[in-house]
Amino acid sequence: MPPKTAAMWKGRFSQATADLVQQYGESISYDWRLYPHDVAGSIAHARAQVKAGLLTDDEFSTIEKGLREIEKEIAAGGFEFSIELEDIHMNIESALTKRIGAVGGKLHTARSRNDQVATDTRLYCRSAIDDLLDYISALQGALLSQAEAHAGTILPGYTHLQRGQPVTVGHHLLAYVEMLARDKERLIDTRKRVNVCPLGSGALAGSTINLDREAIAAELGFDGVTTNSMDAISDRDYIAELLFALALCGGHLSRLSEDLILWCSSEFGFATLSDAHTTGSSLMPQKKNPDVCELTRGKTGRLYGNLVSLLTAIKGLPLTYNRDLQEDKEPLFDSIDTITMALKVNAEMIAEMKINEEVCEAAASDPLLLATDLADWLVKAGIPFRSAHELVGKAVAESVTKNIPLDELDLTQVDSAFTKDASSVFSLKKALAARTNPGAPSVANVKAQVARWKDA
Ligand code: ARG
């Protein structure tokens, strides 16, 4: 008795697939989103079949038209997916044959779902990378506008969450612009390895029917074709790399979130987020919470988890295709969705963030932030840095025990190495202006960096 299953591989089976197995193995509930890439891949594949004399021009036109109609139907939400057909590849192929008849059955010649799914996910990754590059640029733009407006707004810079030395808000925000630029570089680099066409690798050993792989690749916008069929259909490096790039980008957004959470607390008060980008408490009427930042920080865990899921899924697989590989898609889609939302909402939120200049400057006005500058002053007077460090340490201790601000302490009493002129160090403006080396936070440097980034 022929099995009841609608699957396209049922020829050798005499029993229908168990319901639980169908539910367990289906991927259509999530891989449906590969449909535009699946259609594009099939059209390129069919065109190569014409060239190889396997399809007539008319048959090709019928197939192409059918695929385009199916694509439209899916886009419009009117397509009925079936879990009996497992995945997007068989759902589309089966719908095609239903629509255009037996000629639809020619499409899968010299192709397997194994090279098909690898092709689809590569096309998906490529288009996701292209979108993400824009979203990252938009977030950089928002940071850059704030950095430009606050190139001269003095802020304490922290190590160990203890005030260290003066910087500016602009310099602090530009640090994130740098991180995001490296995230983009990583994506651009990953794209090179994504953009290679596996179609023609078949199930694992190519095919006895030779289609023009270069032509298929060119039609799909790939830079070239893969060079080992076994590698091509079992490789998921390109997804792992992408998930790593997104995990790291998420890590950067998470650090930014943590900074903003601190900045928006009553304890810091350096910044205020707009009402549109904060939420209230159902109990405490006064609350205005930085939930977007907290969600970004929290969702970064998913990005890391997705990377580890995939790495774990592939680590023990013998060549070539194993169904474990189907587990690549949910982490991939989830990471793309998560980082996309994070980038978009953060760009919007940061563009509307208000920096509280007086609070920032007041926090930076503690003369202890210039203790290092005082040691530098001694060095310029000929004292070795280690001794200078110790002398200033003594001065700091005295300032603390006597409860006299460091800039009001009579330094000449602390050590004869200090002269009256030493107190000239205690000007924040001068201290910043002196930090002129590349990468340092003088206002002029920050302005130059803003200009450089705007150019880029
Ligand atoms: N849905 C499958 C996946 O995502 C497509 C490839 C199926 N290949 C197979 N030999 N069962 O991996």
Side-chain angles (χ1 to χ4, degrees), residues 116-131:
Q116 203 178 352
V117 71
T119 304
D120 291 6
T121 48
R122 281 172 182 271
L123 290 171
Y124 171 84
C125 289
R126 185 180 75 190
S127 114
I129 288 172
D130 291 344
D131 289 343

Side-chain angles (χ1 to χ4, degrees), residues 243 301-311 330-332 334-335 338:
L243 291 184
R302 296 160 73 127
L303 298 175
Y304 292 3
N306 289 335
L307 169 63
V308 174
S309 289
L310 179 68
L311 290 174
E330 284 172 290
L332 171 63
D334 184 65
S335 282
T338 302

Side-chain angles (χ1 to χ4, degrees), residues 365-378:
S365 67
D366 180 349
L368 287 178
L369 266 67
L370 297 176
T372 319
D373 295 48
L374 189 58
D376 289 349
W377 182 90
L378 287 171

Side-chain angles (χ1 to χ4, degrees), residues 9 32 46 60 66 106 139 158 161 189 196 218 236 251 273 287-288 294 297 319 322 360 365 399 428 451:
W9 37 252
W32 64 270
F60 171 76
K106 294 191 173 185
L139 176 55
Y158 293 76
L161 202 55
D189 200 57
V196 189
R236 296 293 181 273
L273 296 171
K287 290 299 287 293
K288 183 169 162 179
E294 293 163 34
R297 191 176 57 186
L319 289 183
N322 299 269
C360 295
S365 67
S399 147
L428 272 177

Side-chain angles (χ1 to χ4, degrees), residues 7 35 57 127 141 157 169 178 319 366 377 383 393 402 434:
Y35 76 88
D57 285 335
S127 114
V169 171
E178 301 267 351
L319 289 183
D366 180 349
W377 182 90
I383 313 273
K402 291 189 177 158

Side-chain angles (χ1 to χ4, degrees), residues 27 31 87 89 113-114 117 236 321 323 325-326 329:
S27 54
D31 71 9
D87 54 28
H89 325 295
R113 276 185 297 154
N114 294 353
V117 71
R236 296 293 181 273
Y321 182 84
R323 192 65 176 272
L325 290 175
Q326 183 167 292
K329 280 167 217 64

